[in-house]
Amino acid sequence: MPVDAILEPAAASTDRVRLRHELRDLFEEVADLLDDDRIEEFPGYFTEDCLYKVTSRENYREGLAAGLMFCDGIGMLRDRVLALRETQIYEPRMWRHFISGVHVLQVDGDTVRARANFLVTESLSDAHPSLFLVGQYLDTVVRRDGRWLFQERIAVCDNHHIRRSLIVPV
Amino acid sequence: MPVDAILEPAAASTDRVRLRHELRDLFEEVADLLDDDRIEEFPGYFTEDCLYKVTSRENYREGLAAGLMFCDGIGMLRDRVLALRETQIYEPRMWRHFISGVHVLQVDGDTVRARANFLVTESLSDAHPSLFLVGQYLDTVVRRDGRWLFQERIAVCDNHHIRRSLIVPV
Amino acid sequence: MPVDAILEPAAASTDRVRLRHELRDLFEEVADLLDDDRIEEFPGYFTEDCLYKVTSRENYREGLAAGLMFCDGIGMLRDRVLALRETQIYEPRMWRHFISGVHVLQVDGDTVRARANFLVTESLSDAHPSLFLVGQYLDTVVRRDGRWLFQERIAVCDNHHIRRSLIVPV
């Protein structure tokens, strides 16, 4: 039996797979710019009326305010990034994102809800690498002028106590 | 030279890639339900005559019994899941799966042998996230009524000493 | 609106995605042979005039010599692998690679520049798994007789101080 005989019908499978690929590309592109310390580019991936939050699983489950980062609209996100650049005085360190489990949850016109797992490692110059953050992105993305933009990104961290005050986006 | 001139012939590549994508989807779907604590859905991904084992690399290599979990047939798997739900009294924690290196090893009719790497993090509410389990899935999946089911899943953990008694599927 | 209406034009997207898939396959194939301790096969993935380096982010950024491993040409790489096999006397351990963020940076004829993130775990028989190495592959691959080969692979580790003398390729 040829391999394609045991596969799903090509058309449906291909569209779904392509959409997931495009989202995975988007998520990894954003992860790369954070890892490369090009955070000025970060707001360019969001809509004007975006919502960006970093919160803990516990706060998210109980509907509490995002304890770690909360940006309501692209202006607030741009301010935050600017403030970051001007106040970065901590010890040099590297973060690196690993993304797995990208899933499309819902497609409604040109609006797509999706989720993915993230794992961020931290490396300081004189120490072993360690797990910094682990959790889940809960996203709503929209298609604008041929590009995907985040209308909402909620990064829900599994670890309740973040090791130090989180001052960068995830 | 256009990009497609340096690629493999499209048809063969596409089928192989599609099969791998479908398996990656399957593996991530199962990982998600475990991460989301929806273990009641877990047996629904196995055939009636399935074999599900969690073992260590050392035991696997020497052909010893699976020390961590052994379910021979879907009835045993269902019992195990039921028992888990009724006896879960441990401190709340989150697991999260990261899957990499999905490979198709062999295709024989509608039976496919595959492997993949897994990394599972653990987060307790008052601690940093840590690596819980790292290892390899060795799978035999079959196509039934348009869905992939596990006929055999062996999760071989690299770490011989699991940190605490393992009471959930991997 | 059908899903495909919000996707990129199929042809361009498909070629780019296929190229990235082929590279991801390549990277995971090489990772697997290292994890499986089949290092004799490693040089077979390089061109005759290859460059293989493992270095730290700090050394890479400042243009310093690769501190960890440096092989200029396939002969040097083969020697290194042979030496490894003959002198391996350390405590048994398992490494396992997790790869994320595969990106094509540039396509020039049949030469492709790409990058990817790697995370390597280490498991000793009597200890918990730990993060061993985290970093980035910076690669130049070429198409020869229908296969991709590395003309250059630079593994840039985020962690400056590698826990022990690194004696295997990454």
Side-chain angles (χ1 to χ4, degrees), chain C residues 83-119:
Chain C
L84 278 177
R85 184 58 81 201
E86 285 171 355
T87 60
Q88 272 181 350
I89 52 166
Y90 51 79
E91 192 188 351
R93 66 198 65 200
M94 295 283 305
W95 284 287
R96 195 161 300 284
H97 286 68
F98 293 83
I99 291 173
S100 185
V102 176
H103 286 285
V104 174
L105 301 175
Q106 200 185 339
V107 179
D108 181 12
D110 62 355
T111 302
V112 176
R113 291 200 318 111
R115 59 177 268 187
N117 292 341
F118 61 82
L119 179 161

Side-chain angles (χ1 to χ4, degrees), chain A residues 15 18-19 21-22 24-25 28-29 32 35-36 94 96-99 107 109-110 112 119 121 123 125-131 143 148, chain C residues 3-4 6-10 13 16 20-21 24 57-58 61 98 100-103 115 117-119 131 134-136 158-161 163:
Chain A
D15 283 352
R18 276 181 58 206
L19 178 57
H21 282 313
E22 293 196 9
R24 192 198 300 260
D25 280 4
E28 294 192 333
E29 218 174 294
D32 277 356
D35 291 346
D36 293 349
M94 297 281 306
R96 196 160 301 283
H97 286 68
F98 293 83
I99 291 173
V107 179
D110 62 355
V112 176
L119 179 161
T121 61
S123 303
S125 64
D126 273 341
H128 306 150
S130 62
L131 291 185
R143 190 88 181 161
W148 291 108
Chain C
V3 169
D4 67 355
I6 54 170
L7 293 170
E8 278 190 76
S13 165
R16 191 171 48 75
R20 196 150 53 88
H21 281 312
R24 191 198 300 260
R57 173 64 49 184
E58 215 164 309
R61 194 184 280 138
F98 293 83
S100 185
V102 176
H103 286 285
R115 59 177 268 187
N117 292 341
F118 61 82
L119 179 161
L131 292 185
V134 174
Q136 200 172 36
D158 290 345
N159 39 325
H160 183 55
H161 291 272
R163 202 173 327 168

Side-chain angles (χ1 to χ4, degrees), chain A residues 59-93:
Chain A
N59 280 15
Y60 180 76
R61 195 184 282 139
E62 296 174 13
L64 300 176
L68 298 168
M69 202 176 291
F70 179 91
C71 294
D72 187 5
I74 202 166
M76 204 166 160
L77 195 55
R78 286 201 191 104
D79 281 356
R80 181 80 188 220
V81 162
L82 195 66
L84 278 178
R85 185 57 82 201
E86 286 171 355
T87 59
Q88 272 182 349
I89 52 167
Y90 52 79
E91 191 188 352
R93 66 198 65 200

Side-chain angles (χ1 to χ4, degrees), chain A:
Chain A
M1 193 189 311
V3 168
D4 67 355
I6 54 169
L7 292 170
E8 277 190 76
S13 165
T14 301
D15 283 352
R16 191 170 48 76
V17 165
R18 276 181 58 206
L19 178 57
R20 197 149 53 89
H21 282 313
E22 293 196 9
L23 296 186
R24 192 198 300 260
D25 280 4
L26 174 74
F27 298 172
E28 294 192 333
E29 218 174 294
V30 170
D32 277 356
L33 72 87
L34 295 175
D35 291 346
D36 293 349
D37 195 22
R38 298 180 279 119
I39 49 168
E40 284 78 3
E41 301 174 29
F42 187 64
Y45 287 83
F46 287 81
T47 63
E48 290 292 319
D49 62 339
C50 67
L51 180 67
Y52 176 70
K53 290 203 287 188
V54 184
T55 191
S56 69
R57 173 64 48 183
E58 214 164 312
N59 280 15
Y60 180 76
R61 195 184 282 139
E62 296 174 13
L64 300 176
L68 298 168
M69 202 176 291
F70 179 91
C71 294
D72 187 5
I74 202 166
M76 204 166 160
L77 195 55
R78 286 201 191 104
D79 281 356
R80 181 80 188 220
V81 162
L82 195 66
L84 278 178
R85 185 57 82 201
E86 286 171 355
T87 59
Q88 272 182 349
I89 52 167
Y90 52 79
E91 191 188 352
R93 66 198 65 200
M94 297 281 306
W95 284 287
R96 196 160 301 283
H97 286 68
F98 293 83
I99 291 173
S100 186
V102 177
H103 286 285
V104 174
L105 300 175
Q106 198 185 342
V107 179
D108 180 14
D110 62 355
T111 301
V112 176
R113 292 200 317 111
R115 59 177 267 188
N117 292 341
F118 61 83
L119 179 161
V120 185
T121 61
E122 179 175 82
S123 303
L124 282 89
S125 64
D126 273 341
H128 306 150
S130 62
L131 291 185
F132 178 45
L133 289 173
V134 174
Q136 199 173 35
Y137 293 126
L138 300 175
D139 296 325
T140 305
V141 297
V142 293
R143 190 88 181 161
R144 295 278 180 271
D145 302 322
R147 288 184 61 208
W148 291 108
L149 297 177
F150 290 99
Q151 190 163 80
E152 184 171 301
R153 163 153 276 195
I154 306 178
V156 183
C157 301
D158 290 347
N159 38 324
H160 183 54
H161 291 271
I162 307 300
R163 203 175 324 170
R164 60 195 64 76
S165 63
L166 181 78
I167 52 176
V168 289
V170 178

Side-chain angles (χ1 to χ4, degrees), chain B:
Chain B
M1 192 188 313
V3 169
D4 67 355
I6 54 169
L7 293 169
E8 277 190 76
S13 166
T14 301
D15 283 353
R16 192 171 46 76
V17 165
R18 276 180 59 207
L19 178 57
R20 197 151 51 89
H21 282 313
E22 293 196 8
L23 296 186
R24 192 198 300 259
D25 281 5
L26 174 74
F27 297 172
E28 294 192 333
E29 218 175 293
V30 170
D32 278 356
L33 72 87
L34 295 175
D35 291 346
D36 293 349
D37 194 21
R38 296 181 280 119
I39 49 168
E40 283 79 3
E41 301 174 29
F42 187 65
Y45 287 83
F46 287 80
T47 63
E48 290 291 318
D49 62 340
C50 67
L51 180 66
Y52 176 71
K53 289 202 287 188
V54 184
T55 190
S56 68
R57 173 64 48 184
E58 214 163 313
N59 281 15
Y60 180 76
R61 195 184 281 139
E62 296 172 16
L64 299 176
L68 299 168
M69 202 176 291
F70 180 90
C71 295
D72 187 4
I74 202 167
M76 204 166 159
L77 195 55
R78 286 201 190 105
D79 281 356
R80 182 78 189 222
V81 162
L82 195 67
L84 278 177
R85 186 56 82 200
E86 285 172 354
T87 59
Q88 272 181 349
I89 50 164
Y90 51 79
E91 192 189 351
R93 67 198 64 200
M94 297 281 306
W95 285 287
R96 195 161 299 283
H97 286 69
F98 293 83
I99 290 172
S100 186
V102 176
H103 286 284
V104 174
L105 301 175
Q106 199 185 340
V107 179
D108 181 12
D110 62 355
T111 302
V112 176
R113 290 200 318 111
R115 59 177 267 186
N117 291 341
F118 61 83
L119 178 161
V120 185
T121 62
E122 179 174 83
S123 303
L124 282 88
S125 64
D126 274 339
H128 305 150
S130 62
L131 292 184
F132 177 44
L133 290 173
V134 174
Q136 200 173 36
Y137 293 126
L138 300 175
D139 296 325
T140 304
V141 297
V142 293
R143 190 89 180 160
R144 294 278 180 270
D145 302 322
R147 289 183 60 207
W148 291 109
L149 297 177
F150 291 99
Q151 190 162 81
E152 184 170 301
R153 162 152 276 193
I154 306 179
V156 183
C157 301
D158 290 346
N159 38 325
H160 183 54
H161 291 271
I162 307 301
R163 202 175 325 168
R164 62 194 64 75
S165 63
L166 181 77
I167 52 175
V168 290
V170 178

